[in-house]
Amino acid sequence: MNSIFKNPAWKRLKKNKGAMAGLVVIILAVVTAVFCYFIAPDGSPYANRIILEMGGEKPGAKQQFLQVKKEAYESRGFLGKLFYGQPDAYHFIPINTYSVKGDSIIAEKYIDEDVSERISYAKAALADKPVTTKTYWVGTDSYGRDILSRLIVGTRVSLSVGLITVIISISIGLILGSLAGFYRGKTDDLIMWFINVIWSIPTLLLVFAITLALGKGFWQVFIAVGLTMWVNVARLVRGQVLAVRELEYVEAARALGFRNIRIIAVHIWPNIVGPVLVIAAANFASAIVIEAGLSFLGVGVQPPMPSWGLMIKENYNFIITQNPMLALAPGFAIMILVLAFNLLGNGLRDALNVKGKL
């Protein structure tokens, strides 16, 4: 670890304020994604606590709730909550006022503005602290779900799509680009023909085709986006390998009788890692935007999973009405995270002295 921080490239990267700001944002986003269900005010699975009476509330809205015990309740341990969230133990009933009479609580249930209904519950049917007050800092959507919680949980979706996409695209691009650049000849011609065919198809159209073939869903989006973004990596790696394969240390490895696979994996790949890291950062940002676009069009992540693109789709009509923050908040989240990866990618390019066009 110390050798990394003493590396000249790291010292150059630290001097780039934009890249460091992007790195800080990415680290915060990763921490938020890992512990999203502990951070979010609504820690239920997918932050999907629906309270229809609270639909369309503006940022900063406060409301009292009566907590009524559920008949069936599943308690999860630390790992279960970390990965899937904790189902609510109570029904949250919005109320305006309440009073305690004997062993019962009588309340005025909030239905709509200036509309209420008188209800009563026995104390035994309520939580130990029967009344709680919640603040919706970013407001609620049309189903009464907390926008802030869904933004926080949605960070996991965006980063997961970006990470899996980068792994898939780097793996395919690294292998095909290395084979084309190292062996040249017919192998290079065949791989470049395949790359040009994929390159000629519009990215969004290709994603649509793969998504329709695999079906709609969380993992299908990973695969669809990853299978469309390896072309840039393959072209870059091919060019790097063509330049590196003629250097002295590769010739020395051949003279020592090392197999070609070992020469590529052990001697060439470590020396082209810089350009690959730069394009990985760019692909990460692109994957987040593509996933958001697919979810907005309805062929990406499916409800109730809180994808930022899906949140914009569900709430974009509020932009011209009374509560534009419902659609603007996930839009700002996408913009900030994509900008962070682009800034980091530019900083890595400068710090690693990557030359040429990607």
Side-chain angles (χ1 to χ4, degrees), residues 184-203:
R184 298 187 296 186
K186 292 184 179 179
T187 303
D188 185 23
D189 292 340
L190 179 61
I191 293 175
M192 285 307 298
W193 172 84
F194 183 53
I195 288 174
N196 290 330
V197 170
I198 301 298
W199 188 269
S200 65
I201 304 174
T203 301

Side-chain angles (χ1 to χ4, degrees), residues 43-331:
S44 62
Y46 303 136
N48 193 43
R49 182 187 296 152
I50 296 176
I51 307 174
L52 294 176
E53 295 87 350
M54 300 305 300
E57 293 292 333
K58 293 185 177 180
K62 291 186 178 181
Q63 181 63 47
Q64 285 185 320
F65 292 94
L66 195 64
Q67 299 184 98
V68 181
K69 293 179 181 178
K70 287 185 175 181
E71 294 181 1
Y73 168 63
E74 177 190 356
S75 179
R76 290 175 177 170
F78 175 79
L79 289 178
K81 186 176 180 180
L82 180 69
F83 289 108
Y84 306 109
Q86 176 63 59
D88 288 329
Y90 309 103
H91 295 288
F92 291 87
I93 300 177
I95 60 173
N96 291 325
T97 60
Y98 72 97
S99 60
V100 180
K101 290 188 178 181
D103 60 350
S104 298
I105 288 183
I106 300 174
E108 290 292 327
K109 179 182 178 182
Y110 171 83
I111 297 177
D112 203 346
E113 188 174 353
D114 299 326
V115 180
S116 61
E117 177 187 3
R118 188 180 178 87
I119 58 173
S120 68
Y121 285 93
K123 288 184 179 179
L126 303 175
D128 294 335
K129 183 183 177 183
V131 178
T132 184
T133 301
K134 295 186 178 296
T135 302
Y136 296 103
W137 298 106
V138 191
T140 62
D141 63 12
S142 56
Y143 298 100
R145 298 176 294 190
D146 182 26
I147 290 293
L148 177 60
S149 298
R150 290 179 68 77
L151 281 175
I152 292 172
V153 178
T155 307
R156 177 179 291 187
V157 175
S158 293
L159 289 182
S160 297
V161 170
L163 178 62
I164 302 300
T165 295
V166 166
I167 291 174
I168 294 174
S169 63
I170 293 296
S171 300
I172 297 175
L174 202 58
I175 292 172
L176 292 183
S178 298
L179 292 176
F182 189 83
Y183 289 103
R184 298 187 296 186
K186 292 184 179 179
T187 303
D188 185 23
D189 292 340
L190 179 61
I191 293 175
M192 285 307 298
W193 172 84
F194 183 53
I195 288 174
N196 290 330
V197 170
I198 301 298
W199 188 269
S200 65
I201 304 174
T203 301
L204 201 57
L205 184 61
L206 186 58
V207 170
F208 280 156
I210 297 173
T211 302
L212 293 175
L214 298 176
K216 301 177 183 179
F218 189 55
W219 293 103
Q220 289 86 334
V221 172
F222 290 170
I223 298 171
V225 179
L227 290 178
T228 59
M229 301 191 70
W230 61 268
V231 177
N232 286 336
V233 182
R235 293 176 72 247
L236 173 71
V237 170
R238 173 183 175 271
Q240 293 291 319
V241 172
L242 282 172
V244 169
R245 74 185 299 278
E246 305 298 337
L247 297 180
E248 289 83 356
Y249 68 89
V250 176
E251 293 296 334
R254 286 200 191 96
L256 290 171
F258 293 152
R259 292 184 301 171
N260 290 337
I261 297 299
R262 174 174 175 174
I263 295 174
I264 293 172
V266 178
H267 300 282
I268 294 180
W269 282 357
N271 288 282
I272 63 171
V273 69
V276 173
L277 285 177
V278 175
I279 201 167
N283 280 357
F284 212 119
S286 299
I288 293 172
V289 174
I290 292 174
E291 181 276 324
L294 288 174
S295 297
F296 181 83
L297 294 171
V299 295
V301 173
Q302 299 299 299
M305 191 170 287
S307 161
W308 291 342
L310 186 59
M311 291 173 67
I312 295 175
K313 176 190 177 184
E314 292 173 344
N315 302 299
Y316 73 92
N317 57 315
F318 286 98
I319 292 178
I320 58 175
T321 58
Q322 75 280 9
N323 199 355
M325 188 54 66
L326 299 182
L328 293 179

